[in-house]
């Protein structure tokens, strides 16, 4: 969660406090520590820079996705219930990052020595675009190799591409005035579980569902298709817009009716997340994200979507990340898989933890440094 920029806190007070806290922990553990620009910190073990000019990097982030009022436990307090820990960031990414810090501390207490420096890097802006990383790289070199504990264990060797678009239709017949407001918490990071459609005649329609991350749309009971189904009963261009959304998107999560339901054996099926609608002055919009298989290109998606659009509709790309892949037969991918899990864990992440789930759905930080691979301990 990136807060408002303020004095000596470029990405908000909360992320900065988290950074100060983790650096204080690392100081007490006896690591060399430092920070850059009040937004990126590091803890280091091994030879100093004069003996080892390059370093192995472990990159993670302390910022979190924003919270709503739907938590059973205080999101910014750590709560333990029945051997489970609850709190924002336990999984993404404070928990894994702190686990890495304590693992390095255990190595230090055992007096195990390294030939190279090992540096854990604590970022504070991964969830909002990773603008902290250029600040760090302006003062420090990138690591010669490394990993981020922010995905599947033991190693991720490929990621799907991501395309986030807004589809908008200008309304010239005044029919948007049938709607007073569309209300809800719509964000690119999740599919909404609550929304309201408020009509000009005083009708208020309220929708409830089940929230899920936008990288797991099949797990959601998304309220937007329900809202769209009711709005499609309106007249004029407004009704036509929502009828189109209902027909082309609806409850689908793989893009069949848009003609973009790509899949392959390695990557699995495209994931489509319909996460928002909006009404501006004389314009209706919808927002969706596509996480697409490795072999597919952005141009293929855009061509398919544009071919399905209504006349007069516009498409604006809000975010884009091309897919990327590393040869899974390379030793540094195979060896951790064999040693740590007792078998080779290869494949592409399709949303099921079946022992072959190693293609991720897009993150931010590691894309700044392509040499960083990804890992998070979740195998048996």
């Amino acid at each position: 969660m990136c807060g408002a920029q303020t004095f000596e806190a470029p990405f908000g007070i909360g992320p900065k406090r988290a950074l100060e806290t983790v650096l204080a922990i690392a100081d007490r553990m006896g690591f060399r520590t430092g920070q850059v620009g009040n937004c990126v910190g590091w803890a280091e073990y091994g030879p100093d820079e004069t003996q080892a000019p390059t370093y192995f990097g472990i990159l993670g982030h302390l910022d979190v996705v924003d919270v709503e009022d739907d938590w059973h436990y205080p999101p910014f307090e750590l709560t333990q219930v029945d051997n489970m820990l609850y709190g924002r960031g336990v999984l993404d990414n404070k928990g894994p990052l702190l686990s890495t810090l304590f693992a390095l501390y255990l190595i230090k207490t055992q007096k195990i020595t390294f030939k190279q420096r090992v540096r854990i890097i604590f970022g504070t802006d991964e969830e909002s675009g990773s603008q902290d990383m250029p600040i760090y790289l302006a003062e420090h070199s990138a690591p010669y190799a490394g990993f981020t504990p922010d995905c599947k264990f033991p190693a991720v060797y490929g990621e799907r591409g991501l395309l986030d678009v807004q589809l908008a239709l200008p309304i010239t017949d005044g029919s948007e005035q049938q709607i007073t407001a569309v209300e809800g918490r719509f964000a690119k990071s999740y599919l909404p579980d609550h929304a309201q459609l408020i009509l000009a005649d005083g009708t208020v329609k309220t929708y409830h569902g089940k929230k899920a991350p936008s990288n797991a749309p099949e797990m959601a009971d998304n309220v937007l298709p329900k809202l769209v189904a009711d709005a499609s009963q309106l007249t004029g261009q407004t009704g036509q817009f929502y009828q189109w959304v209902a027909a082309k998107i609806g409850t689908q999560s793989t893009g069949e009716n848009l003609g973009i339901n790509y899949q392959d054996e390695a990557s699995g099926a495209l994931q489509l997340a319909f996460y928002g609608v909006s009404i501006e002055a004389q314009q209706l919009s919808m927002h969706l994200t596509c996480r697409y298989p490795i072999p597919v290109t952005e141009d293929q998606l855009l061509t398919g979507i544009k071919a399905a659009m209504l006349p007069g509709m516009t498409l604006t790309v809000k975010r884009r990340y091309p897919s990327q892949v590393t040869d899974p037969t390379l030793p540094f991918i195979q060896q951790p898989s064999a040693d740590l899990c007792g078998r080779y864990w290869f494949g592409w992440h399709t949303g099921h933890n079946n022992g072959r789930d190693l293609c991720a759905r897009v993150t931010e930080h590691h894309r700044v440094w392509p040499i960083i691979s990804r890992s998070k301990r979740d195998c048996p």
Side-chain angles (χ1 to χ4, degrees):
M1 179 174 61
C2 179
Q5 178 179 358
T6 186
F7 178 68
E8 295 188 342
F11 302 108
I13 292 295
K16 186 188 177 184
R17 286 176 176 167
L19 180 61
E20 292 172 340
T21 299
V22 76
L23 289 178
I25 294 171
D27 280 332
R28 292 196 297 271
M29 291 177 169
F31 291 117
R32 298 189 298 271
T33 61
Q35 63 90 22
V36 178
N38 293 299
C39 63
V40 181
W42 50 267
E44 190 173 84
Y45 176 65
D48 62 28
E49 188 172 359
T50 62
Q51 298 173 301
T54 60
Y55 66 93
F56 183 90
I58 302 170
L59 174 63
H61 64 94
L62 301 170
D63 58 309
V64 296
V65 175
D66 202 358
V67 300
E68 297 187 27
D69 56 358
D70 56 354
W71 280 68
H72 297 291
Y73 304 102
F76 295 110
E77 297 177 15
L78 189 62
T79 303
Q80 181 174 344
V81 179
D82 297 330
N83 295 319
M84 294 291 290
L85 295 175
Y86 297 89
R88 181 57 103 199
V90 166
L91 180 64
D92 184 14
N93 181 235
K94 295 176 183 176
L97 194 53
L98 282 170
S99 296
T100 303
L101 180 63
F102 276 87
L104 190 60
Y105 178 64
L106 180 60
I107 290 172
K108 177 176 176 290
T109 61
Q110 297 298 309
K111 302 187 185 304
I112 298 171
T113 59
F114 295 148
K115 294 181 180 179
Q116 297 286 350
R117 289 184 289 150
V118 175
R119 175 177 287 192
I120 303 176
I121 301 168
F122 308 99
T124 61
D125 188 47
E126 194 270 350
E127 301 292 359
S128 300
S130 297
Q131 297 306 304
D132 52 344
M133 289 297 102
I135 297 172
Y136 175 86
L137 292 171
E139 296 191 20
H140 294 266
S141 62
Y144 71 87
F147 72 92
T148 175
D150 195 11
C151 199
K152 294 294 180 181
F153 182 86
V156 167
Y157 64 80
E159 284 199 299
R160 300 174 182 178
L162 180 144
L163 182 67
D164 189 336
V165 299
Q166 173 183 322
L167 302 177
L169 181 69
I171 303 299
T172 59
D173 64 358
S175 59
E176 81 281 4
Q177 296 178 19
Q178 297 171 90
I179 301 176
T180 300
V182 174
E183 296 181 350
R185 292 183 176 177
F186 307 136
K188 62 187 179 184
S189 59
Y190 58 83
L191 302 185
D193 61 351
H194 177 80
Q196 282 191 328
L197 174 64
I198 304 172
L199 301 179
D201 64 4
T203 301
V204 177
K205 295 181 178 289
T206 302
Y207 308 92
H208 299 282
K210 178 184 176 183
K211 182 165 50 175
S214 58
N215 62 10
E218 69 282 354
M219 297 175 59
D221 177 13
N222 190 351
V223 296
L224 291 177
K226 305 172 188 179
L227 184 153
V228 165
D230 284 337
S232 66
Q233 304 302 311
L234 300 174
T235 60
Q237 293 173 326
T238 295
Q240 293 171 7
F241 173 79
Y242 289 113
Q243 289 163 19
W244 181 89
V245 176
K248 296 298 182 180
I249 310 296
T251 60
Q252 294 181 357
S253 61
T254 55
E256 300 96 314
N257 289 354
L258 285 175
I260 58 172
N261 54 322
Y262 295 102
Q263 62 178 329
D264 70 352
E265 183 178 359
S267 306
L270 176 144
Q271 293 177 309
L272 184 147
F274 174 24
Y275 68 83
V277 293
S278 56
I279 302 177
E280 297 87 24
Q282 298 180 317
Q283 177 177 284
L284 303 177
S285 299
M286 64 158 299
H287 306 264
L288 60 86
T289 296
C290 301
R291 289 171 168 83
Y292 55 90
I294 295 286
V296 177
T297 66
E298 178 182 310
D299 286 343
Q300 287 177 278
L301 295 185
L302 292 176
T303 298
I305 296 172
K306 289 176 180 178
M309 286 165 45
L310 286 171
M313 187 176 280
T314 62
L315 183 154
T316 304
V317 176
K318 295 295 187 178
R319 288 185 298 158
R320 50 160 58 95
Y321 300 114
S323 61
Q324 59 182 35
V325 64
T326 299
D327 182 358
T329 65
L330 291 174
F332 81 91
I333 298 292
Q334 288 199 4
Q335 197 62 46
S337 302
D339 290 349
L340 298 178
C341 282
R343 56 196 168 111
Y344 290 109
W345 273 37
F346 296 130
W348 304 97
H349 189 13
T350 57
H352 304 286
N353 189 3
N354 59 7
R356 297 180 60 83
D357 293 349
L358 294 179
C359 175
R361 293 148 169 163
V362 176
T363 186
E364 298 274 359
H365 263 160
H366 86 287
R367 287 181 174 267
V368 180
W369 299 348
I371 49 84
I372 297 292
S373 64
R374 304 180 66 193
S375 174
K376 183 182 289 179
R377 181 67 186 256
D378 68 351
C379 79

